[in-house]
């Protein structure tokens, strides 16, 4: 029972409000995109990760010449967080499913944030675990 509760908490977790505020404080600017616009493309190198303030973004991957929609991220979530650990490389494409607005965060600034704030780093790991769990459940 305790394990099941932990799994539910991980799969339902969002970023904590204090971490959201820290992320917002280091943003490099805003973005506003209409439905079906590209945020980044699979194979690109990016300098940014993205925080969704309002909207929905579909993550898609090319497999056997077909585009697979494998996860949707929405309000108060980060997009491209995995690119932080692979020198900005994008493993998938991100398209808006609705009109979406958010913040751009330089990867270098984000790395500095999680290096200086150990609690933020731990919260981020919980969040990444929740995203991996959601991907696993969608496959």
């Amino acid at each position: 029972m305790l394990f099941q509760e932990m799994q539910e908490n991980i799969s339902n977790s969002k970023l904590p409000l204090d971490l959201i505020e820290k992320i917002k404080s280091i943003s490099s600017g805003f973005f506003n995109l209409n439905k079906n616009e590209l945020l980044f493309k699979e194979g690109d190198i990016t300098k940014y990760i993205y925080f969704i303030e309002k909207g929905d973004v579909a993550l898609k991957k090319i497999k056997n010449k077909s585009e697979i929609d494998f996860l949707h991220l929405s309000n108060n979530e980060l997009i491209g967080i995995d690119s932080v650990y692979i020198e900005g490389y994008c493993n998938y494409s991100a398209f808006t499913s609705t009109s979406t607005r958010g913040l751009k965060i330089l990867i270098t600034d984000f790395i500095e944030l999680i290096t200086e704030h150990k609690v933020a780093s731990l919260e981020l790991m919980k969040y990444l675990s929740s995203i991996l769990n959601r991907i696993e459940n969608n496959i």
Side-chain angles (χ1 to χ4, degrees):
M1 175 99 173
L2 182 59
F3 179 73
Q4 184 178 1
E5 276 181 35
M6 282 177 40
Q7 285 291 71
E8 286 173 11
N9 286 340
I10 287 172
S11 66
N12 294 327
S13 77
K14 297 275 186 167
L15 291 167
L17 290 177
D18 58 333
L19 183 53
I20 289 172
E21 291 308 314
K22 286 179 179 147
I23 289 167
K24 285 181 173 183
S25 74
I26 63 166
S27 73
S28 298
F30 293 93
F31 69 88
N32 285 296
L33 297 172
N34 295 316
K35 183 178 179 178
N36 296 324
E37 287 193 79
L38 180 69
L39 197 56
F40 55 81
K41 185 177 164 194
E42 184 175 349
D44 284 352
I45 302 294
T46 183
K47 298 187 302 185
Y48 298 100
I49 61 172
Y50 302 88
F51 176 79
I52 305 170
E53 286 191 311
K54 183 167 178 50
D56 185 81
V57 175
L59 305 184
K60 301 179 180 191
K61 187 135 181 82
I62 302 292
K63 180 114 177 169
N64 299 327
K65 298 183 182 179
S66 296
E67 194 173 66
I68 300 167
D69 185 340
F70 67 92
L71 185 65
H72 282 253
L73 298 174
S74 58
N75 302 350
N76 295 331
E77 294 200 86
L78 289 167
I79 304 167
I81 190 76
D82 52 318
S83 64
V84 169
Y85 304 102
I86 50 178
E87 298 178 6
Y89 182 78
C90 301
N91 281 315
Y92 47 84
S93 297
F95 290 90
T96 55
S97 301
T98 63
S99 292
T100 302
R101 80 167 183 261
L103 302 165
K104 300 187 307 184
I105 299 102
L106 279 168
I107 289 174
T108 53
D109 292 345
F110 189 76
I111 289 171
E112 188 176 318
L113 170 74
I114 61 175
T115 302
E116 290 177 4
H117 301 282
K118 300 301 179 196
V119 173
S121 184
L122 179 60
E123 291 295 337
L124 183 61
M125 288 313 212
K126 287 182 195 176
Y127 175 71
L128 287 172
S129 294
S130 76
I131 295 227
L132 290 174
N133 194 28
R134 285 165 41 198
I135 290 170
E136 207 171 85
N137 289 334
N138 286 334
I139 295 177

